[in-house]
Amino acid sequence: MKKVSIIGAGNVGATSVYYIAEKNIADIVMVDVVEGLAEKKALDFLHSAALRNYNISITGSNDYSKMRDSDVVVVTAGVPRKPGMNRMDLLKTNVSIVKIVSQKIAQYCPNAVVIVVTNPLDIIAMVVLRETGFALKKVVGMAGALDSTRFRYFIAERLGVWPGDVMTMVLGGHGDEMVPLKGYTSVGGFPVNQFLDDASIEVMIKRTRDGGGEIVKYLKTGSAFYAPGASVAKMVEAIIKDERRIMAASAYLRGEYGYHNTYLGVPVLLGKNGVEKIITIELTPDEKQALDASANAVREGIAMLETFYAPG
Ligand SMILES: NC(=O)c1ccc[n+]([C@@H]2O[C@H](COP(=O)([O-])OP(=O)(O)OC[C@H]3O[C@@H](n4cnc5c(N)ncnc54)[C@H](O)[C@@H]3O)[C@@H](O)[C@H]2O)c1
């Protein structure tokens, strides 16, 4: 049996476990620093095994060594931004958390593919890459899968079609910096502009861009976790089953799309080694400009990181 470890048994971590368990593709270990939390959730998941048709091992622990020899490790450990906390405070706190987590991953799972979820995503992915010392393709960030599924849903809802029949790709960073590719969006294989005019598509792009914020507004003290958990599960499945799926994810770029030494959301081919390939497609001048803005925002984040962080 393959093995997947989820670091951080909070909202996104636990929801990821929920969706992965139902696929019956791997044993699952949850690790959290809060005493009893991962154990409780693991046991609760197991109680539903008979009803939800899974027959895998799910365990929870405070002990990082329990993730030993995992094939995939998902990093959701971190704190959300609290009132009074600025971006720099959040970055410093989450960097200190993922630094420890990454060192443990390198120690116990030297062959794993790591999916990074903790925000600010592209920056944290950079820290995980440096701290694990893993190959570039082995550390990938989850963001594009989430933005893409939100965009797919909004289009499907508007057209009254099955969401799975809408295909699209959302590149770049999260939120304001995301870059939905209208020209590569299709419904049942037909270009989306056969169904909707530009103004209507723009409304859905805006809703996708504000998708995370809309949920935070309702929740007030937390952020989205069902769709993020489902996005993580999709990536885990692609890697565990070596499906070679094409999806948007944050990958380390070395010149692709004109960007160097940075993480950014791009189309990738996901397989057993992680990012098997970065897929380069032609962008319109507008899309390229939007992606440049995204890359600049990540660069600013990396510059912020460099002011206090040294690997090791
Ligand atoms: N990339 C994305 O698209 C995306 C989407 C949603 C959330 N996120 C991010 O994912 C992260 C988790 O979100 P959440 O809603 O699950 O938060 P949460 O607060 O519910 O869960 C985080 C968990 O991490 C645990 N933790 C903290 N330090 C740890 C450590 N050193 N080792 C192990 N566990 C540790 C906490 O105890 C907590 O249970 C946040 O940074 C959030 O911003 C990213």
Side-chain angles (χ1 to χ4, degrees):
M1 199 53 150
K2 299 275 187 179
K3 180 170 171 181
V4 177
S5 288
I6 312 284
I7 315 302
N11 282 332
V12 177
T15 311
S16 304
V17 173
Y18 172 82
Y19 288 120
I20 296 165
E22 303 227 323
K23 296 281 178 186
N24 261 312
I25 52 172
D27 290 334
I28 303 172
V29 174
M30 305 166 83
V31 179
D32 201 289
V33 283
V34 175
E35 207 166 310
L37 181 72
E39 288 88 335
K40 177 264 157 207
K41 292 193 180 180
L43 195 56
D44 210 354
F45 278 127
L46 288 173
H47 290 170
S48 44
L51 300 175
R52 303 305 305 172
N53 296 319
Y54 47 85
N55 183 25
I56 50 165
S57 149
I58 306 177
T59 51
S61 181
N62 293 133
D63 177 359
Y64 289 108
S65 73
K66 293 290 191 285
M67 67 172 156
R68 192 185 297 279
D69 293 335
S70 294
D71 299 282
V72 176
V73 180
V74 180
V75 179
T76 75
V79 298
R81 190 150 144 192
K82 297 180 187 119
M85 207 180 195
N86 63 26
R87 273 186 69 201
M88 184 61 126
D89 298 333
L90 178 78
L91 182 64
K92 279 186 176 165
T93 306
N94 282 351
V95 165
S96 65
I97 290 172
V98 297
K99 217 171 151 171
I100 299 163
V101 170
S102 303
Q103 289 163 2
K104 299 291 180 187
I105 295 171
Q107 181 181 352
Y108 295 115
C109 316
N111 300 314
V113 173
V114 185
I115 300 174
V116 181
V117 181
T118 306
N119 277 321
L121 182 80
D122 305 282
I123 319 299
I124 295 293
M126 189 74 108
V127 175
V128 174
L129 180 79
R130 288 181 187 172
E131 293 294 333
T132 54
F134 283 8
L136 305 179
K137 63 183 173 187
K138 296 271 193 165
V139 179
V140 58
M142 187 289 287
L146 173 60
D147 290 327
S148 301
T149 190
R150 283 181 175 147
F151 192 33
R152 291 169 79 183
Y153 173 72
F154 294 137
I155 292 171
E157 180 196 38
R158 168 70 198 270
L159 294 176
V161 302
W162 191 59
D165 275 349
V166 180
M167 295 305 288
T168 191
M169 210 33 95
V170 179
L171 308 186
H174 251 344
D176 288 349
E177 286 99 38
M178 64 172 235
V179 185
L181 302 182
K182 263 188 285 186
Y184 293 104
T185 302
S186 63
V187 182
F190 305 110
V192 68
N193 62 13
Q194 300 286 316
F195 300 86
L196 292 166
D197 58 28
D198 246 26
S200 308
I201 299 171
E202 284 305 326
V203 169
M204 277 165 268
I205 288 179
K206 175 152 182 8
R207 191 146 180 226
T208 307
R209 202 165 268 148
D210 299 341
E214 195 178 346
I215 288 173
V216 169
K217 242 186 251 164
Y218 285 122
L219 281 176
K220 295 190 177 65
T221 54
S223 57
F225 49 93
Y226 292 123
S231 305
V232 166
K234 192 45 101 191
M235 293 177 74
V236 168
E237 188 178 15
I239 296 163
I240 290 289
K241 292 163 72 180
D242 193 21
E243 288 179 328
R244 301 176 68 78
R245 302 275 325 239
I246 294 177
M247 60 178 86
S250 182
Y252 190 88
L253 304 183
R254 281 179 299 176
E256 294 89 350
Y257 292 93
Y259 311 116
H260 294 268
N261 308 326
T262 184
Y263 269 88
L264 194 66
V266 291
V268 303
L269 194 147
L270 266 194
K272 66 175 187 304
N273 300 305
V275 178
E276 305 281 0
K277 193 175 171 191
I278 291 168
I279 293 166
T280 44
I281 49 157
E282 239 171 74
L283 300 176
T284 64
D286 282 355
E287 287 163 350
K288 179 68 173 92
Q289 204 180 356
L291 203 57
D292 282 348
S294 234
N296 283 338
V298 176
R299 250 181 236 126
E300 279 168 25
I302 293 172
M304 207 188 246
L305 175 75
E306 311 285 2
T307 60
F308 66 90
Y309 164 78

